[in-house]
């Protein structure tokens, strides 16, 4: 990095941070070193991706409107991007961490993300978004707390517990990638991890001896907020705690109508917050279970995650059979009805001091409709691919957002079909042209035999309907137009549809994809491009000074002096910290 560029970076940051005293939005800092380590969560030594030597990575814990600075050093042997799943990146799609918006961070390079968690609360997570790396780790939780002046719609919990669940393979991510590239299915996972650890040995036949398992220590009579995220590859999991009720309180940034569940299906990419009161006797510890759904349970028994809930006054270890999962092994009606029961708490404040329900989405006119249909993998040009509406997406070498900025032609096409193609499937870089301030209706039609989850960056969309069969215009008569949950990831059952509504008020280029990692890797995604015709910093911040260049713009990229960049980041962090102290002191002189 040239000295002049370094100086301009410093000056830009100083000018930006000088406004902190007036904006009163603090900065929080994290350093992420991503590297390979050897771990054996299921008893088999394998390569996993650690952050700062830990697997999973650290929890990012911030407050609404905080400015988050994450310095990422790529110590892997391949390109890297970190995606902040569910973080809306208001005005800053440049920081989203997917290939449509960012050039990848090369090996041995250092790159700093900087974004504001504007008007958000809730439970989220981060993942590596390239090269199937999520299957090897590199993920962690992301908590956004309410500001003190905004009340939460329940009594303050006595503690906060984060649980990352997900299916897991003992092959590393490069081997799994090669399997998909060869046109083969990944097959059954080797197990389910809870916070990066294998199952407690509840069964001597199914679980080998010597596995490290997770234990959560709790105090009797206390109520804890338990945040659960499914960060796995492709398996829906049923989450339950033996003899304890799960009072659902929040999902992906929206407070819910509070309802008790004995268990809840959590699909890939989804996050939930439960309030759990430790109201049982302490004769023994209790099982925490995450087991595979919609599969032959007798064959998949070993694909079960088990952790331990340990009361401080517990008198013995957990023993006996696990608590039963829902009985509908193949009939998904119970699960869909459960999903429909999750409602938005329209009387609660979110990140701002106004009720969530004041945004009456049911009375807004829809301006554009897209029916996105997926089906089982198909062969295109001799390769196995997945599709949305007959298009298998291929990421361009020049990110879409960067191509727009520099007016690079031919990088993508704004011709994604509003209805599925009727002809043969094709590979394209075809994206959706969203209308700024429009109101988009998207119908996700799952014509595959597997459960799918879909995620959209940049937004919380309203889940207004789901049912079996083919969606038609008459299906709108079943929509929930009042308190459908607002979230960023929704499930779509096999042979069924899910309808979502999106208010396109966030300028940028936003990834719309399946969260099932194998299907995402093979092309089941697109982007929604939202442009304000009157360009202004009020709707999108300028391109960051440290933006990376690649593809058609690779000539603009200057070599990076990693040691210098690291030194500068450290000094900037010290400067910002001192500046915040000054900001805190200044009011005392008035």
């Amino acid at each position: 990095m040239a000295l002049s560029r370094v100086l301009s970076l410093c000056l830009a940051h100083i000018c930006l941070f000088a406004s902190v005293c007036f904006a009163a939005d603090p900065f929080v800092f994290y350093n992420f070193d991503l590297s390979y380590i050897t771990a054996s969560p299921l008893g088999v030594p394998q390569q996993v991706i650690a952050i700062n030597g830990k697997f999973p990575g650290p929890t990012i814990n911030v407050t609404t409107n905080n400015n988050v600075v994450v310095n990422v050093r790529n110590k892997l042997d391949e390109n890297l991007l970190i995606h902040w799943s569910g973080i809306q990146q208001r005005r800053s799609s440049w920081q989203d961490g997917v290939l449509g918006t960012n050039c990848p961070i090369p090996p041995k390079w250092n790159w700093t993300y900087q974004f504001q968690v504007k008007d958000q609360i809730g439970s989220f997570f981060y993942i590596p978004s390239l090269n199937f790396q999520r299957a090897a780790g590199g993920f962690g939780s992301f908590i956004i707390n309410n500001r003190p002046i905004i009340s939460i719609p329940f009594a303050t919990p006595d503690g906060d517990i984060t649980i990352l669940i997900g299916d897991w393979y003992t092959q590393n991510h490069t081997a799994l990638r090669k399997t998909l590239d060869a046109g083969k299915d990944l097959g059954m996972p080797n197990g389910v991890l809870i916070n990066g650890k294998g199952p407690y040995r509840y069964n001597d036949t199914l679980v080998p001896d010597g596995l490290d398992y997770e234990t959560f220590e709790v105090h009797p009579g206390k109520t804890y907020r338990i945040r659960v995220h499914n960060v796995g590859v492709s398996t829906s999991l049923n989450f339950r705690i033996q003899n304890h009720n799960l009072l659902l309180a929040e999902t992906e940034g929206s407070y819910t109508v509070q309802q008790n569940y004995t268990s809840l299906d959590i699909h890939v990419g989804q996050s939930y917050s439960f309030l759990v009161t430790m109201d049982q006797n302490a004769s023994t510890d209790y099982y925490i279970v995450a087991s595979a759904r919609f599969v032959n349970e007798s064959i998949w028994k070993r694909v079960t995650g088990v952790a331990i809930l340990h009361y401080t006054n517990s008198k013995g270890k957990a023993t006996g059979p696990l608590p039963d999962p829902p009985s509908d092994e193949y009939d998904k009606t119970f699960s869909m009805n459960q999903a429909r029961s999750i409602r938005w708490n329209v009387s609660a404040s979110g990140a701002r001091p106004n009720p969530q329900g004041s945004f009456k989405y049911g009375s807004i006119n829809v301006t554009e409709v897209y029916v996105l249909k997926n089906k089982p993998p198909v062969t295109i040009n001799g390769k196995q691919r997945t599709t949305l509406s007959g298009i298998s997406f291929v990421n361009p070498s020049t990110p879409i957002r960067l191509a727009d900025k520099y007016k690079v032609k031919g990088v993508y096409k704004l011709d994604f079909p509003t209805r599925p193609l009727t002809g043969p499937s094709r590979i394209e870089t075809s994206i959706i042209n969203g209308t700024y301030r429009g109101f988009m209706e998207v119908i996700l039609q799952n014509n595959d035999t597997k459960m799918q989850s879909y995620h959209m960056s940049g937004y919380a969309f309203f889940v207004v309907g789901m049912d079996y069969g083919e969606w038609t215009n008459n299906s709108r008569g079943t929509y929930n137009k009042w308190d459908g949950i607002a979230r960023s990831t929704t499930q779509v059952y096999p042979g069924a549809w899910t309808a979502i509504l999106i208010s396109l008020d966030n300028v940028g280029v936003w990834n719309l994809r399946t969260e099932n990692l194998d299907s995402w890797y093979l092309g089941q995604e697109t982007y929604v491009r939202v442009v304000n015709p009157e360009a202004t910093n009020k709707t999108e911040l300028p391109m960051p000074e440290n933006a990376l260049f690649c593809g058609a713009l690779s000539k603009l990229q200057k070599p990076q002096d990693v040691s210098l960049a690291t030194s500068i980041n450290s000094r900037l962090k010290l400067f910002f910290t001192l500046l915040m102290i000054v900001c805190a002191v200044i009011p005392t002189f008035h």
Side-chain angles (χ1 to χ4, degrees), residues 163 181 234:
I163 302 181
D181 290 340
S234 62

Side-chain angles (χ1 to χ4, degrees), residues 13 68-70 81-85 87-98 101-102 111-116 401 457 509-510 540-547:
H13 279 87
V68 182
V69 181
V70 185
L81 280 174
I82 299 294
H83 171 63
W84 319 96
S85 188
I87 306 303
Q88 293 177 16
Q89 304 292 354
R90 308 294 298 185
R91 302 171 61 215
S92 59
S93 71
W94 296 103
Q95 307 291 329
D96 201 34
V98 287
T101 51
N102 298 106
W111 201 76
T112 302
Y113 291 88
Q114 182 179 309
F115 53 88
Q116 186 178 30
R401 190 64 197 86
S457 296
V509 176
W510 305 108
E540 186 177 33
L541 295 171
M543 184 181 79
E545 288 283 339
N546 65 339

Side-chain angles (χ1 to χ4, degrees), residues 364-371 416 418-419 432-443 471 476 500-505 528-530:
I364 301 174
N365 291 328
V366 169
T367 57
E368 44 212 310
V369 180
Y370 282 82
V371 178
F416 198 92
T418 58
R419 293 292 188 276
I432 294 172
N433 189 20
T435 303
Y436 177 57
R437 297 198 182 282
F439 199 55
M440 180 182 287
E441 179 183 16
V442 176
I443 293 88
W471 180 89
R476 292 192 178 102
I500 61 176
L501 297 175
I502 314 165
S503 178
L504 299 179
D505 61 349
V528 179
R529 179 176 176 267
V530 182

Side-chain angles (χ1 to χ4, degrees), residues 325-387:
S327 59
D328 65 327
E329 184 176 320
Y330 296 109
D331 178 9
K332 302 169 185 66
T333 302
F334 169 86
S335 183
M336 182 180 285
N337 287 337
Q338 188 184 63
R340 288 169 170 161
S341 73
I342 299 170
R343 299 299 180 94
W344 204 25
N345 186 342
V346 297
S347 64
S349 290
R352 295 184 297 271
N354 61 297
Q356 296 183 20
S358 63
F359 187 82
K360 294 180 173 58
Y361 66 85
S363 61
I364 301 174
N365 291 328
V366 169
T367 57
E368 44 212 310
V369 180
Y370 282 82
V371 178
L372 306 183
K373 181 182 291 187
N374 78 289
K375 57 186 179 181
V378 297
T379 300
I380 308 176
N381 301 335
K383 294 285 187 180
Q384 179 174 279
R385 301 287 297 178
T386 53
T387 58

Side-chain angles (χ1 to χ4, degrees), residues 218-437:
V218 294
H219 295 269
K222 302 291 187 182
T223 297
Y224 293 81
R225 182 172 182 171
I226 298 182
R227 305 173 192 259
V228 188
H229 314 269
N230 186 339
V231 294
V233 173
S234 62
T235 305
S236 296
L237 298 172
N238 180 264
F239 180 81
R240 54 199 183 275
I241 301 177
Q242 186 180 28
N243 291 5
H244 290 73
N245 282 322
L246 307 172
L247 182 62
L248 182 62
E250 175 260 334
T251 177
E252 296 158 26
S254 291
Y255 291 123
T256 66
V257 173
Q258 292 174 26
Q259 301 178 78
N260 272 312
Y261 297 87
T262 54
S263 70
L264 190 72
D265 289 341
I266 303 180
H267 306 279
V268 181
Q270 291 189 329
S271 300
Y272 289 95
S273 280
F274 304 102
L275 300 175
V276 181
T277 300
M278 305 306 153
D279 55 5
Q280 300 299 301
N281 67 56
S283 57
T284 65
D285 294 339
Y286 294 91
Y287 295 123
I288 298 175
V289 183
S291 60
R293 287 286 275 143
F294 318 122
V295 294
N296 187 318
E297 290 170 5
S298 61
I299 297 175
W300 282 62
K301 276 187 176 178
R302 64 178 174 81
V303 186
T304 300
V306 182
I308 293 297
L309 186 73
H310 172 72
Y311 281 48
T312 53
N313 61 341
S314 175
K315 297 178 177 63
K317 293 184 177 181
T319 58
L322 300 179
D324 290 331
S327 59
D328 65 327
E329 184 176 320
Y330 296 109
D331 178 9
K332 302 169 185 66
T333 302
F334 169 86
S335 183
M336 182 180 285
N337 287 337
Q338 188 184 63
R340 288 169 170 161
S341 73
I342 299 170
R343 299 299 180 94
W344 204 25
N345 186 342
V346 297
S347 64
S349 290
R352 295 184 297 271
N354 61 297
Q356 296 183 20
S358 63
F359 187 82
K360 294 180 173 58
Y361 66 85
S363 61
I364 301 174
N365 291 328
V366 169
T367 57
E368 44 212 310
V369 180
Y370 282 82
V371 178
L372 306 183
K373 181 182 291 187
N374 78 289
K375 57 186 179 181
V378 297
T379 300
I380 308 176
N381 301 335
K383 294 285 187 180
Q384 179 174 279
R385 301 287 297 178
T386 53
T387 58
L388 265 184
S389 294
I391 293 178
S392 186
F393 189 84
V394 58
N395 277 290
S397 59
T398 308
I400 297 162
R401 190 64 197 86
L402 209 56
D404 279 352
K405 171 71 177 177
Y406 286 87
K407 297 181 172 54
V408 180
K409 303 297 183 184
V411 169
Y412 62 88
K413 297 178 181 178
L414 276 176
D415 63 351
F416 198 92
T418 58
R419 293 292 188 276
L421 298 176
T422 55
S425 300
R426 61 177 189 254
I427 296 177
E428 295 276 6
T429 306
S430 176
I431 68 174
I432 294 172
N433 189 20
T435 303
Y436 177 57
R437 297 198 182 282

Side-chain angles (χ1 to χ4, degrees), residues 415-590:
D415 63 351
F416 198 92
T418 58
R419 293 292 188 276
L421 298 176
T422 55
S425 300
R426 61 177 189 254
I427 296 177
E428 295 276 6
T429 306
S430 176
I431 68 174
I432 294 172
N433 189 20
T435 303
Y436 177 57
R437 297 198 182 282
F439 199 55
M440 180 182 287
E441 179 183 16
V442 176
I443 293 88
L444 302 161
Q445 180 80 50
N446 184 2
N447 281 24
D448 200 347
T449 58
K450 298 178 180 178
M451 177 72 70
Q452 297 283 341
S453 300
Y454 285 91
H455 172 87
M456 185 169 177
S457 296
Y459 294 94
F461 49 69
F462 301 97
V463 182
V464 294
M466 58 178 68
D467 205 350
Y468 289 101
E470 290 282 326
W471 180 89
T472 68
N473 288 332
N474 292 333
S475 302
R476 292 192 178 102
T478 67
Y479 284 6
N480 175 357
K481 295 187 175 182
W482 169 244
D483 61 354
I485 192 67
R487 63 187 313 168
S488 60
T489 305
T490 187
Q491 70 270 44
V492 190
Y493 293 85
W497 55 267
T498 296
I500 61 176
L501 297 175
I502 314 165
S503 178
L504 299 179
D505 61 349
N506 193 14
V507 171
V509 176
W510 305 108
N511 192 219
L512 176 57
R513 64 174 184 271
T514 177
E515 279 286 15
N516 298 54
L517 190 55
D518 47 353
S519 297
W520 183 13
Y521 177 78
L522 293 174
Q524 198 171 302
E525 65 175 321
T526 186
Y527 284 81
V528 179
R529 179 176 176 267
V530 182
V531 175
N532 183 353
E534 299 178 9
T536 167
N537 287 355
K538 292 181 179 179
T539 57
E540 186 177 33
L541 295 171
M543 184 181 79
E545 288 283 339
N546 65 339
L548 298 175
F549 295 96
C550 54
L553 299 169
S554 56
K555 291 181 181 179
L556 298 178
Q557 183 60 53
K558 298 179 181 179
Q560 184 179 73
D561 184 334
V562 176
S563 60
L564 179 59
T566 303
S567 172
I568 290 169
N569 272 303
S570 298
R571 293 178 185 182
L572 284 173
K573 181 176 179 180
L574 175 62
F575 170 77
F576 300 150
T577 302
L578 292 173
L579 184 58
M580 292 303 296
I581 293 171
V582 171
C583 291
V585 170
I586 284 174
T588 64
F589 292 98
H590 289 279

